[in-house]
Amino acid sequence: MLQTDRSNQLLGWYRQALRFIMPVACIGCDRLLTTDPVPFFCYYCWNSIVPITGPACSRCNQPFVSSAATSWTPEHRCQNCLERPPAYQQAWTLFPYLPPLQDAICSFKYRGKVALAEPLALLMIGALPAHIDADVILPVPLHPSRLRAREFNQSLLLADRLGRHLLRPVSATHLVRVVATDPQTTLSRHERLRNLRRAFAVRNQDAIIGRRLLLVDDVFTTGTTLNECAKTLLNAGAESVCALTLARTIDTRLVPDRVFAERATRTLTPLGI
């Protein structure tokens, strides 16, 4: 522990010296960074990232507008889960997909800022449900063509650190993507469903038969990707599949006004962006 603290202190000094020579601005608010411990973000922005709290669907974790939804039925499910029950047993989504976390995930995922993998994983670890457990952790896979273009799978980097914390094995080979689909972010819900049909396959089926599996991904949007992965794994013999994501897109009506108020006070650039 002492050695770790010493290493962190030395790293902080090195980062401070480097930023004196080569100034770096916070991605979230453009403030020049000094001793801020998280790469690319200041203390204020990073500490403003708070987990989703309050009543939520017992199956997909979709937040409810009012606590009345679960006051009499704690296991209440959202309309989507009642009408189209997902294949996964339960999904946990930890943070709202809003700035500055949204900025961090996009920088990590699309701009190659892999130094953010550790602090993002620590956010997940700090907000993990107490009862989460699994035999094997599986990152949502990328197709080889996209993996070559991006050079890393962001879900695997997060899953690797979660596996070390939970003392569970992580496999990036049991579940693979066999179809190079269009990016889900550009599609409607119906198009997402059609886009992902037969997009995944299981390799080494014997390793998942009768096992409890935990899927890990960065962002939960409609849950289509996680659902298709879960279907594939259950059809291959898995006992159960749960899912864990760092963030989820949510209805802005569910976001406390204070979040928008804090964002409005940030200094804008001369261009207003």
Side-chain angles (χ1 to χ4, degrees):
M1 184 67 179
L2 183 62
Q3 184 177 2
T4 301
D5 292 342
R6 180 63 175 171
S7 297
N8 290 337
Q9 186 178 29
L10 290 173
L11 181 60
W13 290 342
Y14 172 76
R15 182 181 288 119
Q16 186 176 9
L18 185 62
R19 287 172 176 171
F20 179 78
I21 300 170
M22 302 175 62
V24 177
C26 172
I27 291 175
C29 66
D30 287 332
R31 186 182 71 84
L32 289 180
L33 303 179
T34 54
T35 58
D36 305 284
V38 175
F40 314 112
F41 286 89
C42 67
Y43 279 107
Y44 172 80
C45 286
W46 201 256
N47 290 335
S48 70
I49 301 173
V50 294
I52 297 172
T53 58
C57 173
S58 62
R59 189 71 173 268
C60 75
N61 217 210
Q62 165 69 40
F64 291 134
V65 175
S66 169
S67 59
T70 57
S71 58
W72 297 104
T73 54
E75 298 301 313
H76 185 63
R77 298 183 183 182
C78 67
Q79 194 66 26
N80 283 335
C81 287
L82 289 172
E83 294 177 354
R84 295 179 293 276
Y88 51 77
Q89 180 177 329
Q90 187 171 2
W92 295 278
T93 53
L94 305 177
F95 295 87
Y97 189 56
L98 294 170
L101 180 58
Q102 183 179 26
D103 300 325
I105 292 174
C106 289
S107 297
F108 171 46
K109 188 173 178 178
Y110 301 118
R111 301 174 190 169
K113 306 295 187 184
V114 293
L116 288 168
E118 187 72 24
L120 288 173
L122 288 175
L123 284 179
M124 297 182 77
I125 290 169
L128 283 178
H131 55 286
I132 193 169
D133 195 14
D135 298 318
V136 183
I137 299 174
L138 305 178
V140 171
L142 294 178
H143 188 268
S145 62
R146 187 162 299 164
L147 183 59
R148 285 193 295 270
R150 189 173 295 171
E151 299 183 345
F152 66 95
N153 180 350
Q154 74 282 351
S155 300
L156 175 57
L157 296 183
L158 296 175
D160 175 64
R161 287 156 177 80
L162 286 170
R164 281 183 260 168
H165 174 76
L166 295 171
L167 302 179
R168 292 293 184 268
V170 177
S171 173
T173 58
H174 294 345
L175 180 68
V176 296
R177 198 162 191 150
V178 293
V179 177
T181 56
D182 294 329
Q184 291 288 92
T185 54
T186 64
L187 306 175
S188 67
R189 182 181 181 89
H190 177 72
E191 290 170 334
R192 287 168 184 258
L193 292 169
R194 185 172 54 189
N195 188 47
L196 288 176
R197 286 175 187 160
R198 295 181 292 278
F200 301 98
V202 168
R203 302 283 186 262
N204 190 15
Q205 184 175 354
D206 292 342
I208 69 165
I209 292 177
R211 310 298 294 275
R212 299 171 303 148
L213 307 177
L214 178 65
L215 286 167
V216 172
D217 205 1
D218 55 343
V219 179
F220 185 111
T221 304
T222 64
T224 305
T225 300
L226 294 172
N227 194 48
E228 288 301 314
C229 288
K231 284 181 184 178
T232 302
L233 293 166
L234 291 170
N235 288 338
E239 177 184 324
S240 64
V241 180
C242 290
L244 176 70
T245 54
L246 169 60
R248 83 178 292 146
T249 56
I250 60 176
D251 190 326
T252 54
R253 292 174 299 174
L254 306 178
V255 181
D257 289 344
R258 63 174 176 78
V259 174
F260 291 114
E262 289 171 358
R263 289 167 60 189
T265 61
R266 293 180 185 171
T267 301
L268 298 177
T269 67
L271 295 178
I273 58 175

